[in-house]
Amino acid sequence: MDIKKLLACGAVLALLGGAITVNAADNPIIPSIFASAEDASNVVELAHVGDKYDVSLGNASGTPVWTSANEKIATVKSTGGLSAQITAVSVGTTTIYASLADQTVALTVKVLAEAEDEEQTITLPDLVFGENQNTANTALDGADPADFQWSSSDESVAVVDANGTITAVGKGTCQITAVSGKTTYIINVTSNYSGGQDPTSPTVIERSEVVKLSNEKVSQKISIGQLPEGITPVWSSTDTKVATVDQSGTVTAVDTGECKVLVQLGTTTYSFKVESTYDPSQGIPEKELSSITLSDSTPSRTININAPEGAEVIWSSSDESVAVVDQSGTVTAKGSGTCKIIAYYGGVNYIVNVESTYTGQAPTAPTAQISGIGQTLQLSGGDNVESWSSSDESVATVDGSGKVTSTGLGEAVITATFKNGSTTTVNVVVVPATVYGDANVDGKVDLTDAVAILQYVALPAKYPLTEQGKKNADCHCPGDGIGGKDALAIQMLDAKVISALPLIEQ
């Protein structure tokens, strides 16, 4: 008989009052064998990400340990006693396990759809048209304007087309509305346009913001928000001997003085005043960011700095016999000692202190042991792990979070690959779990095990038991040795006098 199918029938999952109840106490089974979740009655479907579901183990005894095979799809947490709550995290299918002393019950969880969008109204910055400007394109936080229904509350003031281009046609105020599904954008428009000037001629708008630079603040980024598709800003400085600007909008001081930074957006140019008190004779200022350690087990690290988009970062090391750095910010140990990794951009040297104990000797991979099939082990590699893999998935699998699940007896190597390309490994050994009564280690408990015990007790040299078989055979008061009472306990189980092993007598 297929014992997994038997257990799937024994661990009944019934929908009662919005929760699933498992009559685990009615299932007299062998330890370490888990119930299958393939039966349709053992499936819970959650409609949307974020939905929750309550589950209970009914009449079972003991305190269950709840686990999820993939917490990126669904998580489970105990709510006290025999109950727990399942939460949908992302679309997909996973398995929730409830482990008791004598069995593990499995429940398939399917998350069907993403979370439903809630209605939201977003008010964008007010739009003011002057006498020399009467058109503007609208950016909707990354959304495509063509996906929205556009309207104007007063088309004698401003009109809007299907792509979100707003055109002033007269003086006054109105409201432009964009609607898509449950999302509504609102733009309040004030128009001073009377049609007296050609709106297609180049326009320069002086901004009131002033960019102030000094030795303490050598650079500053000017933010212009998200631009409509097809509009690329073009940045320039009126005096590069005072300050420069890159195409990300980062202004960097060169000397003391004043100038203007210009950004051209289509036919409109915006002008920002720059006031610099920067004194280049004081040298390049430094700012300490953080510290890192390197070792034989972690010979490289990648430094992430919050440089403006488009800014050129120049990396260097103060001592390349200790550590080197490439132009992506990946630091690699070359020896023991200390040094500084320097990231230069915006007129400032940003410092990361390095302490290295690297010797060049490959570390010995640690070994972890898992007892029994279907058990889990959580490994952690930090936020920089790119992926996990197993050398033999017939022995152990590993998910994206580093959770290892034993699938068979043997050895497998679990590898964590980091974002910088380096790897580290853990040897996982899966050994049999103790199945009380299974003296001949054939995966089931019956009268042949009782015979094997009696033969072993009488003639151990002629009828030996394996080491695992000896552990399994000691099923009457484990720890008192193998004897006739162990064989008798198996016969009592077969006759249904007792419901489970081991048999403990007080």
Side-chain angles (χ1 to χ4, degrees):
M1 179 180 290
D2 188 332
I3 193 163
K4 288 191 176 182
K5 291 184 178 179
L6 171 63
L7 299 182
C9 296
V12 180
L13 295 171
L15 290 170
L16 296 174
I20 291 181
T21 302
V22 182
N23 290 324
D26 298 334
N27 190 8
I29 65 172
I30 304 166
S32 302
I33 304 295
F34 62 89
S36 170
E38 297 172 357
D39 192 291
S41 64
N42 290 10
V43 177
V44 166
E45 292 185 347
L46 298 176
H48 300 99
V49 171
D51 287 356
K52 299 181 183 298
Y53 204 93
D54 294 324
V55 63
S56 174
L57 290 185
N59 300 323
S61 60
T63 301
V65 176
W66 298 89
T67 55
S68 170
N70 190 343
E71 292 187 343
K72 293 184 178 180
I73 294 176
T75 60
V76 61
K77 66 176 182 179
S78 173
T79 54
L82 299 173
S83 300
Q85 187 175 76
I86 301 169
T87 301
V89 177
S90 64
V91 176
T93 301
T94 188
T95 304
I96 299 296
Y97 296 101
S99 300
L100 295 162
D102 59 351
Q103 66 177 329
T104 299
V105 179
L107 174 66
T108 297
V109 174
K110 296 181 179 180
V111 182
L112 303 182
E114 299 290 347
E116 290 186 311
D117 292 334
E118 297 181 357
E119 290 189 6
Q120 58 177 337
T121 299
I122 301 171
T123 300
L124 296 178
D126 294 352
L127 182 60
V128 178
F129 289 111
E131 183 63 37
N132 57 359
Q133 180 190 14
N134 81 325
T135 62
N137 294 317
T138 308
L140 302 181
D141 297 333
D144 186 351
D147 294 337
F148 287 74
Q149 295 292 323
W150 293 86
S151 63
S152 170
S153 65
D154 188 345
E155 292 191 347
S156 68
V157 175
V159 295
V160 60
D161 66 17
N163 294 314
T165 298
I166 303 171
T167 303
V169 295
K171 292 186 177 182
T173 61
C174 67
Q175 191 174 84
I176 301 297
T177 303
V179 179
S180 177
K182 296 183 178 182
T183 300
T184 301
Y185 286 92
I186 294 175
I187 306 170
N188 293 309
V189 175
T190 298
S191 173
N192 298 309
Y193 177 74
S194 62
Q197 181 174 329
D198 180 5
T200 62
S201 61
T203 301
V204 177
I205 299 176
E206 298 285 344
R207 300 292 301 211
S208 61
E209 300 94 330
V210 177
V211 180
K212 296 186 177 183
L213 304 177
S214 63
N215 286 83
E216 289 71 34
K217 190 175 185 180
V218 178
S219 63
Q220 181 178 334
K221 181 177 176 63
I222 300 175
S223 177
I224 57 175
Q226 186 168 353
L227 298 175
E229 185 176 354
I231 299 296
T232 301
V234 179
W235 294 88
S236 61
S237 169
T238 60
D239 190 347
T240 56
K241 293 181 180 180
V242 174
T244 61
V245 61
D246 63 22
Q247 292 310 304
S248 72
T250 299
V251 186
T252 301
V254 177
D255 207 337
T256 301
E258 294 184 1
C259 68
K260 291 183 179 181
V261 165
L262 310 176
V263 56
Q264 181 179 342
L265 303 174
T267 61
T268 302
T269 298
Y270 295 88
S271 174
F272 296 84
K273 184 178 181 180
V274 178
E275 297 178 353
S276 173
T277 60
Y278 175 74
D279 183 357
S281 65
Q282 296 184 15
I284 300 175
E286 292 187 352
K287 183 177 180 180
E288 190 170 296
L289 290 181
S290 61
S291 299
I292 62 172
T293 58
L294 302 175
S295 62
D296 289 317
S297 59
T298 308
S300 65
R301 297 275 297 273
T302 298
I303 301 172
N304 295 314
I305 60 175
N306 191 27
E309 184 179 354
E312 181 183 7
V313 181
I314 301 174
W315 294 88
S316 62
S317 170
S318 66
D319 189 344
E320 293 192 348
S321 67
V322 176
V324 296
V325 61
D326 63 21
Q327 293 309 303
S328 67
T330 298
V331 184
T332 303
K334 292 298 182 180
S336 298
T338 59
C339 69
K340 293 181 178 181
I341 297 298
I342 304 164
Y344 172 82
Y345 69 90
V348 178
N349 283 332
Y350 294 89
I351 307 298
V352 176
N353 295 307
V354 177
E355 182 175 351
S356 173
T357 59
Y358 178 76
T359 64
Q361 298 178 357
T364 303
T367 298
Q369 181 174 293
I370 301 178
S371 296
I373 299 171
Q375 303 302 307
T376 61
L377 171 69
Q378 183 65 56
L379 301 178
S380 176
D383 295 335
N384 288 322
V385 175
E386 183 75 27
S387 63
W388 295 87
S389 61
S390 169
S391 65
D392 189 348
E393 294 193 345
S394 67
V395 174
T397 60
V398 62
D399 66 15
S401 68
K403 180 181 287 186
V404 179
T405 302
S406 57
T407 56
L409 303 180
E411 297 184 15
V413 178
I414 304 300
T415 301
T417 301
F418 296 90
K419 294 177 181 178
N420 62 12
S422 63
T423 61
T424 188
T425 60
V426 176
N427 297 322
V428 172
V429 180
V430 181
V431 298
T434 300
V435 181
Y436 288 108
D438 186 15
N440 57 14
V441 195
D442 63 355
K444 54 188 176 181
V445 178
D446 52 30
L447 293 179
T448 61
D449 295 297
V451 172
I453 291 174
L454 294 174
Q455 289 176 329
Y456 172 77
V457 171
L459 295 170
K462 185 175 181 180
Y463 302 103
L465 296 177
T466 65
E467 290 303 313
Q468 187 61 48
K470 293 177 183 178
K471 294 179 181 178
N472 296 347
D474 191 9
C475 59
H476 173 273
C477 296
D480 65 352
I482 302 173
K485 289 186 177 181
D486 297 297
L488 178 59
I490 294 173
Q491 296 175 57
M492 294 170 67
L493 178 68
D494 185 70
K496 295 184 171 48
V497 175
I498 60 176
S499 61
L501 292 175
L503 175 61
I504 308 296
E505 292 185 347
Q506 302 298 328

